Amino acid sequence: MLEKTVAILGASNNPERYSYKALKMLAEYGYKTIPVHPQLKDIDGAEVKNSLGDINEDVYTLTLYVGPEKVAPLIPDIIKLKPQRVILNPGTESKELEDALEKASIPYLEACTLVLLKTGHFEKAF
């Protein structure tokens, strides 16, 4: 598979969190992952970016694990990142973000990254 980069906004080092499970599963499925968290330095040896602005490569998918109140100030950074697509995992839905993504012609989907991967729909969902 051609390497595709997936940024995980709201990555966690807590194995009970869905963002941690997504990080592991995406890597298992062959995706290059970029965890993003404002305070963490690494997650199980994977370098963590402290902001979206620290990412200096093309992002295939941005998968969100932060709620609407935390994502609102990050919307300009998300648009500037220009991911090819955005996944809004359960609990991250934001009308403000969705409107900004539509205006920037960035496709998005309200879905669970883990379910999309497990069912073989991660690539087909968009």
Side-chain angles (χ1 to χ4, degrees):
M1 174 174 76
L2 181 64
E3 184 171 72
K4 293 182 177 178
T5 301
V6 180
I8 303 151
L9 184 59
S12 174
N13 58 0
N14 179 345
E16 299 300 313
R17 304 285 305 210
Y18 289 114
S19 60
Y20 178 90
K21 293 175 182 183
L23 175 68
K24 294 301 187 179
M25 190 178 289
L26 284 159
E28 180 183 313
Y29 278 70
Y31 293 92
K32 177 180 178 187
T33 58
I34 302 175
V36 181
H37 187 282
Q39 286 124 10
L40 298 175
K41 298 293 178 218
D42 78 89
I43 298 174
D44 295 346
E47 178 189 356
V48 175
K49 301 291 186 181
N50 295 130
S51 74
L52 293 170
D54 293 337
I55 298 174
N56 297 314
E57 60 188 278
D58 291 337
V59 172
Y60 171 58
T61 304
L62 174 64
T63 184
L64 269 67
Y65 288 94
V66 294
E69 67 288 340
K70 288 186 180 177
V71 83
L74 303 176
I75 291 172
D77 293 333
I78 291 169
I79 301 304
K80 187 177 178 186
L81 182 66
K82 295 180 188 158
Q84 289 182 33
R85 57 198 212 148
V86 175
I87 297 174
L88 304 168
N89 288 277
T92 67
E93 300 88 352
S94 162
K95 175 90 170 94
E96 186 180 356
L97 174 58
E98 291 169 16
D99 289 347
L101 291 170
E102 286 177 12
K103 186 175 179 185
S105 299
I106 298 172
Y108 67 90
L109 180 66
E110 293 179 6
C112 175
T113 296
L114 298 171
V115 171
L116 291 173
L117 286 166
K118 286 181 183 178
T119 61
H121 290 93
F122 189 79
E123 293 294 332
K124 303 173 194 171
F126 286 80

